[in-house]
Amino acid sequence: RAEPPADPLVFLVLDDDEASRYLNRSLLETEFPRSRVIECGSVRDALAASAGRHLDAVITDHHLGQGDGAEFVSGLRAQGATCPVLMVTGRSDPKVHERAYAAGASRVFFGSDLDFTEYLKLTLRKT
């Protein structure tokens, strides 16, 4: 007897840059073929899209046009989200990383460490 298919993973991607959202969505859909990716371009839209919804993981940029990734992570955690939240940034500024972790980010990726899919595979396998 065949096992019923597992529920698809649900990811939220927040980035104010459309090309970056596309790239992150493509990476997720390639590595997690049955996944569903919700794309948002602003903190406000991402908080609205995540409210009351099960998310398996969130990928957010640090630098956003209005607000920043740490503000979003704080708001997401205030909503009760417990999923892994990965912040991607081009800056290796320790203050950016400190703010991200203080807000509740699970991991910060920057520079040559931008491939978050392997981290997600390991993290999601544990849950």
Side-chain angles (χ1 to χ4, degrees), residues 2 18 22 26 33 36 47 51 57 59 65 70 75-76 87 89 92 96 106 113 116:
E18 186 176 350
Y22 173 80
S26 297
R36 181 165 167 252
L47 288 173
I59 293 84
L76 187 68
M87 185 175 294
T89 180
S92 63
V96 168
S106 307
D113 184 30
F116 54 81

Side-chain angles (χ1 to χ4, degrees), residues 48-75:
S50 62
R53 172 178 275 145
H54 167 79
L55 297 171
D56 291 289
V58 171
I59 293 84
T60 182
D61 187 26
H62 162 71
H63 182 71
L64 302 165
Q66 296 178 353
D68 68 21
E71 290 175 32
F72 167 65
V73 175
S74 291

Side-chain angles (χ1 to χ4, degrees), residues 24-106:
N24 289 333
R25 178 175 48 82
S26 297
L27 282 169
L28 290 167
E29 290 175 343
T30 298
E31 297 297 325
F32 305 95
R34 292 192 62 246
S35 64
R36 181 165 167 252
V37 180
I38 302 163
E39 294 181 57
C40 297
S42 71
V43 170
R44 186 185 76 231
D45 291 347
L47 288 173
S50 62
R53 172 178 275 145
H54 167 79
L55 297 171
D56 291 289
V58 171
I59 293 84
T60 182
D61 187 26
H62 162 71
H63 182 71
L64 302 165
Q66 296 178 353
D68 68 21
E71 290 175 32
F72 167 65
V73 175
S74 291
L76 187 68
R77 295 302 190 207
Q79 289 178 346
T82 59
C83 65
V85 178
L86 314 182
M87 185 175 294
V88 178
T89 180
R91 299 179 64 189
S92 63
D93 181 348
K95 291 180 182 179
V96 168
H97 299 223
E98 286 174 25
R99 274 194 80 220
Y101 288 121
S106 307

